[in-house]
Amino acid sequence: MQRRTILRGLAAGAIAGPAAAVLGPGEARAATSYYVATTEQVKNKVMVWHKSKTFTDANLHWSFSPGGGAWSNLSDVKIRSTSAQGWIALVCASGGKAGIIDIGSEKATELNDLAWNATPGGNPHAIERIPGNGSVVVASSHGYLTLYAPTSVSNLGSLAKVQTVSLAGAHGVLWDPTYKLLWAIGKGTLRGYAVEGTYRNTRLRHYGAAVSLGSSNLGHDLQPDYSNTQRLLCTATDGVYEISTAGGSFSKRKISSETRVKAYVRHSSGEVLSVRADNAGSRTWGSPTVRFSQSPDRTRSGAEFYKARIWTPDFQ
């Protein structure tokens, strides 16, 4: 099998209509065929399934198994398309590590498949890549963002730490291609950062874009709304919020008071995918169930899912 065949096949089946179509505010497609990337913390694996299939080992489309130690409790995965490497998977773990897998034809990847890794420490909760720049940002819940920059976009192995930015309770980080901003969520706030410079001179600068969540409200997950490119979705201690970025004016609207929501994202069709901690099992902050608003939920016995992501080429 040729390199990247797996994720190219994923792209072909993820959505109906042209894969490169860009969604505008309020637009949505009827298709609900997509893949779900999860971090499962009992087996400690990134697992990708098609949403229409049961979440069994036999149905696994792709996986990453790093073992334990500093890679324990995988906390985030994002699959991104790049010009130089094709499809890559960004991963981080609460044990302290972060890394990138250059996805090829191998279906079950392990530590030896990492193209790059680092140890930001501080309980890493989220990771993101800056398109066109090649830099990577990791959010650590102990209170900071770590920026890694390369000597060239095509050289993943050249990524090195160039900046640390304080952000209390940092839990989520997401690139916004509409406004070319890096968003990060922490305790009481969602902040936008401009990306300045290139290669090892890349730096993040908080230029004023921010949304208050309330001083006692800890932001948790931060994801795109694939049905509206001028809206983000975030979860916090007291519920779930839509963040409007339309016209460069940033505001929030609470859409749910459900607590303990660890992942929340909306597909271009309008279907919502989420994970809610069940306060049970070996990891009370996880759940064996990934929920779908318009389709059957998927439960994997004995599993503890922490994050779940929709894989679609609409939002890189």
Side-chain angles (χ1 to χ4, degrees):
M1 185 181 291
Q2 293 182 347
R3 285 183 62 79
R4 305 185 182 98
T5 299
I6 290 174
L7 267 292
R8 281 176 178 155
L10 234 164
I15 55 175
V22 177
L23 297 175
E27 295 183 48
R29 282 183 292 241
T32 56
S33 177
Y34 55 86
Y35 286 77
V36 179
T38 67
T39 56
E40 197 287 304
Q41 294 190 347
V42 174
K43 287 192 172 182
N44 203 44
K45 295 177 72 172
V46 170
M47 298 177 171
V48 178
W49 287 280
H50 193 278
K51 62 153 287 190
S52 67
K53 297 182 179 181
T54 55
F55 285 8
T56 63
D57 288 347
N59 288 333
L60 264 177
H61 193 82
W62 184 81
S63 67
F64 170 63
S65 181
W71 277 105
S72 62
N73 288 340
L74 285 164
S75 54
D76 194 18
V77 57
K78 292 184 177 75
I79 297 174
R80 296 292 187 248
S81 175
T82 71
S83 297
Q85 290 87 24
W87 297 108
I88 61 173
L90 305 164
V91 293
C92 66
S94 290
K97 297 291 285 186
I100 298 176
I101 308 157
D102 187 359
I103 298 173
S105 60
E106 190 172 347
K107 183 175 180 178
T109 58
E110 299 174 320
L111 275 181
N112 61 357
D113 296 297
L114 283 167
W116 169 81
N117 74 94
T119 309
N123 194 1
H125 262 60
I127 183 170
E128 181 60 292
R129 179 181 182 271
I130 300 169
N133 178 288
S135 296
V136 171
V137 181
V138 179
S140 296
S141 68
H142 288 185
Y144 55 91
L145 309 175
T146 305
L147 173 66
Y148 299 90
T151 56
S152 70
V153 176
S154 62
N155 188 352
L156 291 176
S158 70
L159 284 161
K161 180 179 175 180
V162 297
Q163 186 185 16
T164 300
V165 178
S166 295
L167 179 64
H171 264 64
V173 63
L174 183 71
W175 175 252
D176 181 347
T178 302
Y179 291 98
K180 303 297 188 292
L181 290 175
L182 182 81
W183 290 98
I185 192 170
K187 184 176 181 181
T189 188
L190 172 69
R191 293 186 180 179
Y193 294 86
V195 179
E196 301 178 337
T198 57
Y199 307 127
R200 290 283 173 79
N201 292 319
T202 301
R203 297 293 185 270
L204 301 178
R205 178 175 63 86
H206 174 47
Y207 79 108
V211 177
S212 173
L213 299 174
S215 60
S216 63
N217 210 9
L218 177 62
H220 191 77
D221 196 29
L222 178 61
Q223 296 204 59
D225 184 337
Y226 292 106
S227 72
N228 189 328
T229 59
Q230 297 188 64
R231 191 162 61 203
L232 310 177
L233 298 164
C234 72
T235 68
T237 304
D238 69 348
V240 182
Y241 291 87
E242 287 180 346
I243 308 298
S244 173
T245 62
S249 297
F250 310 115
S251 61
K252 70 177 187 292
R253 181 173 75 93
K254 191 173 184 179
I255 58 174
S256 173
S257 295
E258 187 176 45
T259 59
R260 307 195 310 275
V261 180
K262 301 302 180 179
Y264 189 98
V265 62
R266 185 178 291 121
H267 183 256
S268 59
S269 65
E271 178 168 62
V272 171
L273 178 155
S274 64
V275 175
R276 185 181 190 233
D278 60 7
N279 280 344
S282 60
R283 289 163 175 80
T284 57
W285 54 86
S287 171
T289 300
V290 177
R291 307 182 300 179
F292 298 86
S293 65
Q294 300 173 16
S295 310
D297 294 344
R298 297 296 180 190
T299 297
R300 181 178 170 91
S301 179
E304 292 287 356
F305 295 115
Y306 185 61
K307 296 289 178 62
R309 297 350 192 159
I310 287 174
W311 188 86
T312 169
D314 283 342
F315 196 102
Q316 297 180 10

